[in-house]
C-alpha cells in the first residue's frame, strides 16, 4: 500500500458509516485527515482509533453540511494549508410517499443533498492543490432508479451529480478531478435505522426488511462500508488520474438499467 504521508484530506460526514470507512482507509495510508460532522462527541470517539491506524494527523470540525455557513470555518481550519482530497458525504432525508411531500420537505431535501454540499465544495476549492487533488461525493443509486419513498434523494442527488459534472468541465484545466460514488444498500447505522423504522411501519420484522434490501443486489447481500470506501479512495488516488466527472455505481448489481 502506498503511503499518503504528507497529504491532507477533508472528509465530511465522516463520524460513522461510509464516511468513517473512508477515514479509516486513508488513515491506514498515513494521510492527514480532517473529519467533520454535526455531533462533536461522535467524532472525538474516532480520533484515537484513526491515529492508531496510522493517520499522520486527525482534526475534527463540527459542521452542518446543510447550513451553507462554511467559508469562515474552512478558512480558520485550513489557513494556508492545501488539501489533496475532499469527501462530500452527509445525511439523507426521511422517505415519504410522493404525494405526501410538503414545501418544507423540498427545502430541507435541497439543503441536505444539493445546496449544502455544492456550496461546501465551492468554498473549499481554493484550498485544493491544483493537479494533485480530487473530490469524491457519495450519492446513491437513487440517481439511476427510484428507491421506494426516496424521491427527494433521486431529485436532489441527481441535481448534485449535474452540478459536479458541470464543475468538472469548468475547472478541469486546473487538474482537480471530481467524481461521485453511488452506493447501493450498505450495512451502516443509517440503513439499520431505516430498516427498523420500515419494519415498524409495515408491521413486519427487521429481518424481513433487511432481507428485502439484501435481495435487491444480484450478490444477495448488502455492501460493507469498506467496499464503498475503497472505491472512493481509489477515485481520490493518482491511480484514477484520468477519471473525471463520472458516477461509479457500487451496488453489487442491484440497479436494472444497462447504463
Ligand atoms: N447506507 C446505505 O445503504 C446508503 C446507500 C446509498 C446512499 N447512502 C447515502 O450515503 C450517505 C452516508 O450514508 P451512511 O449509511 O454512511 O450514513 P451514516 O452512518 O448515518 O453516516 C452519516 C454521516 O454523515 C454525518 N451527517 C449527517 N447529516 C449531516 C449534516 N447535515 N452535516 C454534516 N454531517 C452530517 C453523520 O454525523 P452527524 O449525525 O454527527 O452529523 C455521519 O457522520 C448518506 O447520504 C446516505 O443517504 C447510504
Amino acid at each position: 500500500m502506498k503511503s499518503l504521508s504528507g497529504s491532507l484530506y477533508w472528509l465530511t460526514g465522516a463520524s460513522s458509516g461510509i464516511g468513517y470507512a473512508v477515514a479509516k482507509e486513508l488513515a491506514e495510508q498515513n494521510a492527514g485527515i480532517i473529519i467533520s460532522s454535526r455531533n462533536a462527541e461522535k467524532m472525538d470517539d474516532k480520533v484515537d482509533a484513526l491515529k492508531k491506524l496510522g493517520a499522520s494527523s486527525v482534526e475534527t470540525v463540527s459542521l452542518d453540511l446543510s447550513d451553507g455557513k462554511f467559508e469562515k470555518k474552512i478558512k480558520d481550519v485550513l489557513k494556508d494549508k492545501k488539501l489533496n482530497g475532499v469527501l462530500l458525504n452527509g445525511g439523507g432525508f426521511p422517505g415519504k410517499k410522493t404525494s405526501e411531500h410538503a414545501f418544507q420537505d423540498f427545502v430541507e431535501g435541497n439543503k441536505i443533498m444539493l445546496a449544502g454540499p455544492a456550496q461546501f465544495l465551492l468554498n473549499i476549492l481554493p484550498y485544493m492543490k491544483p493537479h494533485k487533488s480530487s473530490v469524491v461525493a457519495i450519492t446513491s443509486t437513487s440517481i439511476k432508479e427510484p428507491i421506494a419513498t426516496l424521491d427527494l434523494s433521486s431529485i436532489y442527488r441527481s441535481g448534485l451529480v449535474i452540478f459536479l459534472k458541470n464543475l468538472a468541465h469548468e475547472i478541469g484545466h486546473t487538474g482537480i478531478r471530481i467524481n461521485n460514488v453511488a452506493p447501493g444498500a450498505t450495512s451502516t447505522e443509517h440503513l439499520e435505522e431505516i430498516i427498523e423504522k420500515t419494519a415498524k411501519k409495515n408491521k413486519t420484522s427487521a429481518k424481513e426488511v433487511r432481507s428485502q434490501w439484501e435481495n435487491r443486489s444480484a450478490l444477495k447481500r448488502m455492501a460493507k462500508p469498506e467496499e464503498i470506501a475503497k472505491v472512493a479512495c481509489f477515485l481520490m488516488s493518482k491511480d484514477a488520474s484520468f477519471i473525471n466527472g463520472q458516477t461509479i455505481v457500487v451496488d453489487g448489481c442491484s440497479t436494472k438499467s444497462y447504463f
Side-chain angles (χ1 to χ4, degrees):
M1 197 183 282
K2 287 177 208 153
S3 172
L4 294 174
S5 179
S7 59
L8 183 63
Y9 294 81
W10 189 318
L11 317 175
T12 70
S15 60
S16 62
I18 295 168
Y20 182 55
V22 173
K24 287 194 291 185
E25 191 72 24
L26 291 172
E28 282 173 358
Q29 297 175 54
N30 315 118
I33 305 167
I34 299 165
I35 58 173
S36 58
S37 70
R38 294 164 302 178
N39 182 331
E41 272 174 31
K42 218 162 105 184
M43 287 189 287
D44 290 345
D45 288 350
K46 303 293 189 306
V47 172
D48 282 348
L50 290 171
K51 283 186 181 160
K52 267 188 200 141
L53 282 173
S56 51
S57 64
V58 183
E59 200 172 335
T60 64
V61 182
S62 294
L63 180 145
D64 184 342
L65 197 60
S66 69
D67 74 7
K69 296 173 194 151
F70 313 125
E71 200 166 4
K72 185 172 180 312
K73 212 164 247 186
I74 292 171
K75 195 175 172 192
D76 290 348
V77 173
L78 290 177
K79 299 182 180 83
D80 55 359
K81 288 181 210 145
K82 290 276 181 190
L83 293 169
N84 294 79
V86 169
L87 181 80
L88 279 181
N89 178 53
F93 194 79
K96 280 188 178 178
K97 280 172 78 176
T98 304
S99 58
E100 286 173 355
H101 288 96
F103 181 74
Q104 202 54 31
D105 295 327
F106 295 109
V107 172
E108 293 304 322
N110 180 20
K111 279 163 71 177
I112 291 167
M113 292 179 281
L114 171 57
Q119 184 59 54
F120 181 82
L121 179 54
L122 291 178
N123 287 141
I124 209 160
L125 267 184
Y127 298 89
M128 299 191 72
K129 283 184 185 164
H131 301 290
K132 285 189 179 168
S133 62
S134 163
V135 177
V136 174
I138 302 296
T139 58
S140 165
T141 54
S142 65
I143 64 166
K144 294 270 178 194
E145 292 180 357
I147 302 176
T149 77
L150 295 182
D151 294 44
L152 295 185
S153 175
S154 297
I155 293 167
Y156 294 111
R157 291 189 204 274
S158 298
L160 182 66
V161 170
I162 292 167
F163 169 78
L164 296 175
K165 180 83 172 185
N166 290 347
L167 191 61
H169 275 290
E170 191 173 305
I171 67 159
H173 62 93
T174 66
I176 297 172
R177 296 178 297 106
I178 306 175
N179 292 293
N180 111 75
V181 173
T186 306
S187 177
T188 64
E189 283 168 37
H190 170 69
L191 189 59
E192 275 308 317
E193 277 168 26
I194 293 179
I195 287 171
E196 296 289 339
K197 276 186 197 157
T198 312
K200 232 180 225 172
K201 196 173 162 199
N202 297 347
K203 297 190 173 54
T204 176
S205 66
K207 192 176 170 206
E208 173 60 30
V209 179
R210 193 173 300 109
S211 102
Q212 285 164 9
W213 280 100
E214 287 166 352
N215 284 326
R216 290 173 66 89
S217 157
L219 297 178
K220 302 296 173 207
R221 66 174 179 87
M222 294 191 223
K224 297 181 196 119
E226 293 72 24
E227 292 175 300
I228 309 299
K230 280 191 190 295
V231 179
C233 289
F234 164 71
L235 289 172
M236 279 197 259
S237 76
K238 283 184 198 148
D239 289 339
S241 53
F242 209 58
I243 303 180
N244 189 24
Q246 301 306 307
T247 292
I248 311 294
V249 176
V250 188
D251 70 345
C253 189
S254 65
T255 45
K256 300 277 189 290
S257 56
Y258 288 114
F259 302 105

